Amino acid sequence: MSDQNEPDPLDPFDEIIAEETDRDPDLAVIEAGSRTLRTQGGPPQADVPARPEDPEVDKALREVEAELATRWGETKLEPSVSRIAALMDVLGEPQRSYPSIHITGTNGKTTTARMIEALLGAFELRTGRYTSPHVQSITERISLDGAAISAERFIETYHDIKPYIEMVDGQQEYRLSFFEVLTGMAYAAFADAPVDVAVVEVGMGGSWDATNVIDGDVAVVTPIDLDHTDRLGSTPGEIAGEKAGIIKQDATVIMAQQPVDAAQVLLKKAVEVDATVAREGLEFGVVSRQVAVGGQLATLRGLGGEYPEVYLPLHGAHQAHNAAVALAAVEAFFGVGAARAEPLDIDTVRKAFAAVASPGRMEVVRRSPTVVLDAAHNPAGARVTADAVGEAFDFSRLIGVVGASGDKNVRGLLEAFEPIFAEVVVTQNSSHRAMDADELAAIAVEVFGDERVQVEPRLPDALEAAITLAEEEGEFAGGGVLVTGSVITVGEARLLLGKG
């Protein structure tokens, strides 16, 4: 007769607990609960595409990347949609062949897009997702069914529309930009798939962003704060004026919590175009949340009612708010709260959220010491990241690795991290936009003091220095490293640390 205390080999919950022989029993049960929740949706797929293994494919992709690099970069803009509209015209308006959910805001756009994509996919819709910038591979920007398109398909799509790109180039005052070409590729790839719905993140702003040749059935506005102030405006209200450009006639607007002046601008635009508005904190929101191993457990209120015990494998209160926005957007897409009263199927919602991943956003890529990557690149993003680190990790000593772009509010970024960094290693990434490490160090010294700042211009050296500093606490003392300041810095660190 078997021992009554022996775990049933068919019970995965008991199996997981049995594996945790070196852990506190209560902690083992908590972790098992989180892991079985995650299993329902499969493990989050955090990895992003690596370079193609086939040398010929890799060569062809590099040739496409080189051609794209000859065009205006993403920071050089001529505020107009005339060129992308011309490209759509000669391509036969591919962006009109599927409904879309359009996302703008300052922070949280990419993660919210990934959440929306996961939810739609769980309800068996074929999705296309367009986000920017990429963490490691340019192919990440265009996804079908939750996965980046293959390098082969990326190359094929580029060559398919290249003759039309050149035709438009010859007709316009300025050639199509890097971002405009990629937007055209995404819309063409989605039509070719074909997708049931496109989830599209703006590149910058809204009104004149290249993505804004779609008429989103649902317009999502994540939290607005100060960023790109030289192009979008110097106050949240002014910036909201640009971002409100994605709100189209008779659309549904899903609005995250906003500064008062930004909310006023968005609501005014919604009234002008007869759009329906759902506001976080009123029509939907986060009811409760608690920290869980590997993420958090939340109860969300959607347009159709409450969704209890939703496991989210992402850290930080901001991610729970992103989840509430994503849920409301998908409900609006399905007509919940308007055409239908009942909520979405709770098990499907739980399964979708349990499988969400967001590379480079509070992502743990190493243990002993723990190394966390987060792409915060402005003060607002840095503040929520600092809060999330404090909530999710019990670091006794946290070392920062910061590499930022020269066009950002670097002082504000560093000030947001100052309370949680024991020391900071300043560095620079390989982008031409990167702030010089010595220039960054001068600002860091003013914020942290000379004794807490180390300069390592090469990112590999900066990572090594930070890990060494964290290890000074001892193997079990709880030192950690946070790499942040730029999506590019995070992407390059991911590669150096063996991810992707």
Side-chain angles (χ1 to χ4, degrees):
M1 183 174 175
S2 63
D3 189 336
Q4 292 290 320
N5 296 321
E6 184 176 331
D8 182 350
L10 299 178
D11 188 334
F13 188 84
D14 287 341
E15 282 184 8
I16 293 169
I17 295 175
E19 290 172 8
E20 300 287 345
T21 54
D22 60 343
R23 297 282 307 279
D24 178 273
D26 291 335
L27 289 177
V29 171
I30 292 169
E31 173 146 321
S34 295
R35 285 167 63 186
T36 49
L37 275 168
R38 289 199 294 271
T39 303
Q40 293 173 12
Q45 300 300 308
D47 283 336
V48 295
R51 296 299 310 183
E53 293 184 7
D54 185 324
E56 290 302 312
V57 175
D58 187 50
K59 179 184 176 184
L61 180 59
R62 290 184 188 280
E63 288 172 354
V64 172
E65 290 171 317
E67 288 187 25
L68 290 169
T70 66
R71 297 179 175 275
W72 279 1
E74 289 171 283
T75 58
K76 186 171 182 179
L77 304 165
E78 193 270 321
S80 163
V81 293
S82 60
R83 291 176 302 281
I84 186 69
L87 180 60
M88 293 296 100
D89 182 51
V90 297
L91 288 176
E93 304 289 348
Q95 81 284 13
R96 307 287 181 207
S97 62
Y98 39 80
S100 56
I101 298 175
H102 206 176
I103 306 168
T104 190
T106 301
N107 291 311
K109 296 188 296 294
T110 298
T111 302
T112 302
R114 285 178 170 271
M115 291 174 174
I116 291 171
E117 172 189 53
L119 284 163
L120 293 169
F123 285 99
E124 300 184 350
L125 291 185
R126 183 154 209 217
T127 58
R129 172 173 54 83
Y130 181 52
T131 52
S132 61
H134 56 274
V135 177
Q136 285 174 208
S137 170
I138 195 170
T139 59
E140 294 167 43
R141 295 178 180 236
I142 306 172
S143 291
L144 293 172
D145 294 323
I149 63 172
S150 66
E152 292 88 344
R153 191 161 191 169
F154 186 91
I155 296 161
E156 180 184 354
T157 301
Y158 175 74
H159 286 294
D160 281 348
I161 72 169
K162 183 178 177 180
Y164 302 97
I165 293 169
E166 292 172 344
M167 185 187 307
V168 173
D169 283 343
Q171 297 170 346
Q172 300 289 320
E173 182 180 0
Y174 304 106
R175 295 169 72 214
L176 287 154
S177 70
F178 170 87
F179 187 73
E180 287 168 336
V181 171
L182 281 173
T183 302
M185 289 172 60
Y187 289 163
F190 297 162
D192 186 57
V195 302
D196 297 315
V197 55
V199 182
V200 178
E201 173 191 341
V202 304
M204 187 187 299
S207 296
W208 40 258
D209 187 75
T211 62
N212 203 30
V213 288
I214 57 171
D215 292 326
D217 301 76
V218 178
V220 176
V221 188
T222 66
I224 292 174
D225 211 295
L226 301 182
D227 200 7
H228 301 295
T229 52
D230 55 330
R231 297 180 180 89
L232 301 179
S234 58
T235 67
E238 290 178 0
I239 293 171
E242 286 296 333
K243 295 185 183 293
I246 74 163
I247 300 173
K248 303 298 174 61
Q249 189 73 35
D250 300 321
T252 300
V253 183
I254 303 300
M255 199 167 80
Q257 291 179 338
Q258 303 291 349
V260 173
D261 58 342
Q264 289 172 337
V265 171
L266 295 168
L267 291 170
K268 182 174 183 290
K269 177 59 184 288
V271 169
E272 290 171 358
V273 297
D274 293 321
T276 302
V277 179
R279 299 153 294 177
E280 184 183 8
L282 294 173
E283 286 78 24
F284 69 92
V286 179
V287 176
S288 63
R289 53 180 292 274
Q290 61 190 69
V291 177
V293 175
Q296 56 193 299
L297 199 64
T299 294
L300 306 176
R301 187 175 79 251
L303 306 179
E306 283 199 4
Y307 297 78
E309 297 184 352
V310 174
Y311 176 73
L312 190 65
L314 300 172
H315 299 291
H318 62 296
Q319 298 292 19
H321 289 284
N322 288 340
V325 170
L327 176 61
V330 173
E331 285 183 308
F333 182 78
F334 284 127
V336 174
R340 51 183 279 191
E342 69 276 11
L344 301 176
D345 179 71
I346 181 62
D347 290 333
T348 306
V349 169
R350 286 175 177 154
K351 180 179 179 180
F353 276 123
V356 166
S358 194
R361 277 78 178 176
M362 288 291 293
E363 181 185 11
V364 176
V365 292
R366 173 185 163 145
R367 299 286 186 181
S368 299
T370 298
V371 178
V372 182
L373 307 181
D374 191 85
H377 55 272
N378 55 45
R383 286 192 293 270
V384 297
T385 296
D387 289 344
V389 169
E391 176 184 271
F393 302 96
D394 188 23
F395 292 128
S396 58
R397 187 162 180 261
L398 181 62
I399 310 301
V401 175
V402 179
S405 296
D407 59 348
K408 297 295 181 181
N409 179 357
V410 174
R411 180 180 295 277
L413 179 93
L414 293 172
E415 288 173 345
F417 283 125
E418 190 277 332
I420 68 167
F421 287 165
E423 297 182 53
V424 61
V425 182
V426 297
T427 188
Q428 64 191 75
N429 58 55
S430 64
S431 168
H432 68 279
R433 295 170 55 200
M435 177 176 279
D436 178 77
D438 289 332
E439 185 181 350
L440 179 56
I443 301 172
V445 166
E446 293 177 3
V447 174
F448 289 85
D450 187 61
E451 295 298 314
R452 294 166 65 194
V453 179
Q454 183 171 333
V455 187
E456 295 290 350
R458 296 180 64 254
L459 183 57
D461 297 336
L463 291 171
E464 184 177 347
I467 288 169
T468 300
L469 287 168
E471 286 174 338
E472 288 178 1
E473 287 285 274
E475 185 179 355
F476 303 106
V481 175
L482 174 65
V483 184
T484 189
S486 163
V487 175
I488 298 167
T489 301
V490 163
E492 292 179 356
R494 263 184 126 255
L495 280 170
L496 289 166
L497 293 165
K499 299 290 283 186

